[in-house]
Amino acid sequence: MDNEQIRALLKKYNSGKCTEEEMLWIEKSFFEFNEQDIELSYKKLEGLKKQTYSHLPKPTTKFNGLRILISAATAAAIIAIAIYIFLPHTPNNTAASLNLAEHILAKGNVAQIKLSNGKTIQLDESKNEITINASSIAYADGTKIEIANDVLEQTISTPRGGEYQIVLSDGTKVWLNAATVLQYPTSFREQAKRSVRLVSGEAYFEVAKDKKHPFIVNTSGQTLTVLGTHFNIKAYQSEVKTTLLEGAVKINSASQSDSIRLKPGEQSLAVGNKFQKRNADIDLEMAWKNGRMKFRNATLQSMLPEVERWYNIQIEYEGKTPDIHLTGGISRKSSLATLLKLLQMSGVNFTLNERQGIKTLTIKS
């Protein structure tokens, strides 16, 4: 497979004209390549090109409905070479944008807790989890922060680019994604129901089992009730998306006019007072919790809000939004430049500028 064939296949993919086998091959190649957490550079890609071309098998693969025979490792190398092909012709303004993006990283373990008595606690960034007790907040290493007995409620929040884990007083574990706000009682004792509120953002729950005390998660658009299960709720905008991994859940709309039950592997979307149910792509939905940012056949407008939140940047569009669908994935520890190089390879034009401390990514038509 030569350079022109690679170009043609990628363009065919972005235009939606690939066969099913071609599409699966490209998507698998993207994920295989990006799982390696490789920081792209011209020097590395040039070396990779020299190494892989000498080891590539002679073209025995035909894409017209025949089974793809190229190995995943070779496919990953071909994708890397495709990136190499696109990058050498980088315009100066794009090169400057990539240079700036190299220094844009997520904040990591950043969060704060606001107590009901008005006190605010900035959590330790060198740690990633806290446990809530009746009279203290404890880190995994045993370090404790004492709290007053009159603190009945707490609110934990992460900024853009931040994440944290929390263990509630009943043993329920919650992973908080970037730009997330969760309210909960200091203790569930003497309460018939274990009720929390996901004010905004995204959180993954592993609920401690307690048949006598249902666990309830309230959001702006729905109320979810469980006894003990694993699920993810995404509530950044007016739509609330719930993905079930284990157990069973019942969800009621805020107006109580509609309800739905989910089984493992299913997902609900709350729009207004109605629910839609569909099968979930668990790997994609839980990528954020596992330290990855993944997208499959996604439009720019559907994937860039996550980029905006994680890298704490602003995104704007100049002219018509490019009508392309993208597949890929990077480590959430990677710089913004890693993602922008994938966009560049797919033919997306952009500039990245910083003014008065605000970084803005402009997508051009």
Side-chain angles (χ1 to χ4, degrees):
M1 180 178 289
D2 59 25
N3 291 358
E4 289 305 316
Q5 287 175 310
I6 295 172
R7 281 180 182 271
L9 186 57
L10 290 175
K11 289 181 179 179
K12 190 176 179 183
Y13 177 85
N14 284 332
S15 66
K17 296 179 181 179
C18 276
T19 65
E20 183 177 353
E21 285 187 300
E22 289 172 341
M23 182 177 68
L24 290 174
W25 178 77
I26 290 177
E27 292 180 356
K28 183 177 181 181
S29 302
F30 265 76
F31 284 121
E32 180 78 16
F33 175 67
N34 287 298
E35 288 292 343
Q36 300 174 34
D37 291 336
I38 294 175
E39 289 295 330
L40 303 180
S41 69
Y42 293 122
K43 186 176 180 180
K44 287 182 179 179
L45 288 170
E46 186 173 0
L48 180 61
K49 181 181 181 182
K50 291 179 180 178
Q51 292 175 20
T52 53
Y53 265 144
S54 63
H55 293 90
L56 286 177
K58 294 182 179 180
T60 58
T61 302
K62 295 183 179 180
F63 292 102
N64 296 326
L66 298 181
R67 183 175 179 80
I68 304 302
L69 300 177
I70 296 178
S71 69
T74 301
I78 291 175
I79 291 299
I81 293 167
I83 297 173
Y84 176 91
I85 294 168
F86 277 78
L87 289 182
H89 309 289
T90 302
N92 290 334
N93 59 343
T94 303
S97 296
L98 291 174
N99 183 57
L100 173 60
E102 289 284 2
H103 304 285
I104 299 179
L105 297 161
K107 296 179 179 178
N109 300 320
V110 180
Q112 68 175 23
I113 292 180
K114 186 173 183 179
L115 307 178
S116 55
N117 63 5
K119 182 180 179 179
T120 298
I121 301 171
Q122 194 69 39
L123 298 179
D124 192 336
E125 296 181 18
S126 68
K127 300 176 174 61
N128 64 0
E129 181 182 282
I130 55 167
T131 298
I132 306 301
N133 299 306
S135 59
S136 68
I137 296 172
Y139 292 103
D141 63 2
T143 306
K144 291 184 178 181
I145 302 172
E146 300 297 328
I147 59 176
N149 292 329
D150 63 347
V151 175
L152 301 180
E153 294 184 352
Q154 303 177 20
T155 300
I156 184 172
S157 60
T158 57
R160 284 186 169 195
E163 60 182 349
Y164 226 86
Q165 299 173 30
I166 181 172
V167 182
L168 301 179
S169 63
D170 67 333
T172 292
K173 297 181 180 180
V174 187
W175 284 254
L176 305 176
N177 202 350
T180 296
V181 180
L182 178 70
Q183 297 176 342
Y184 53 90
T186 300
S187 175
F188 290 112
R189 289 181 180 177
E190 299 180 0
Q191 295 188 20
K193 299 178 180 180
R194 298 172 290 166
S195 183
V196 302
R197 181 172 185 80
L198 182 61
V199 179
S200 62
E202 183 170 16
Y204 171 71
F205 295 80
E206 291 188 354
V207 178
K209 293 183 179 181
D210 185 345
K211 294 182 179 180
K212 295 182 179 179
H213 302 89
F215 191 92
I216 298 173
V217 181
N218 297 291
T219 67
S220 60
Q222 67 178 36
T223 298
L224 179 149
T225 304
V226 301
L227 296 176
T229 188
H230 300 176
F231 58 90
N232 190 77
I233 298 182
K234 189 173 186 177
Y236 283 113
Q237 301 172 338
S238 57
E239 296 181 347
V240 181
K241 184 164 61 176
T242 303
T243 305
L244 183 63
L245 283 77
E246 179 181 304
V249 299
K250 179 182 179 182
I251 310 173
N252 292 303
S253 63
S255 65
Q256 300 294 315
S257 61
D258 195 14
S259 65
I260 192 172
R261 291 180 181 271
L262 296 181
K263 297 183 295 184
E266 292 183 336
Q267 183 178 83
S268 70
L269 184 65
V271 182
N273 292 318
K274 295 294 183 181
F275 291 109
Q276 300 173 6
K277 183 163 65 173
R278 61 193 179 193
N279 292 327
D281 187 331
I282 300 298
D283 182 54
L284 288 183
E285 295 298 333
M286 298 313 304
W288 72 269
K289 174 182 170 288
N290 299 321
R292 307 290 303 174
M293 182 181 295
K294 288 186 177 182
F295 38 93
R296 192 194 311 280
N297 198 29
T299 64
L300 280 176
Q301 290 175 312
S302 67
M303 63 166 283
L304 287 180
E306 181 179 0
V307 175
E308 191 172 35
R309 287 189 297 269
W310 187 238
Y311 290 104
N312 190 25
I313 62 174
Q314 291 186 355
I315 293 178
E316 60 184 30
Y317 298 89
E318 184 178 289
K320 185 179 179 181
T321 305
D323 183 20
I324 61 175
H325 291 73
L326 301 168
T327 291
I330 63 171
S331 166
R332 278 162 56 110
K333 293 181 180 180
S334 298
S335 70
L336 177 61
T338 304
L339 178 65
L340 294 186
K341 288 169 185 175
L342 291 176
L343 294 182
Q344 182 189 14
M345 185 193 69
S346 298
V348 179
N349 297 316
F350 57 82
T351 58
L352 179 67
N353 297 292
E354 181 175 10
R355 296 186 181 90
Q356 298 180 339
I358 299 175
K359 300 176 181 66
T360 302
L361 176 65
T362 303
I363 304 297
K364 300 184 176 183
S365 57

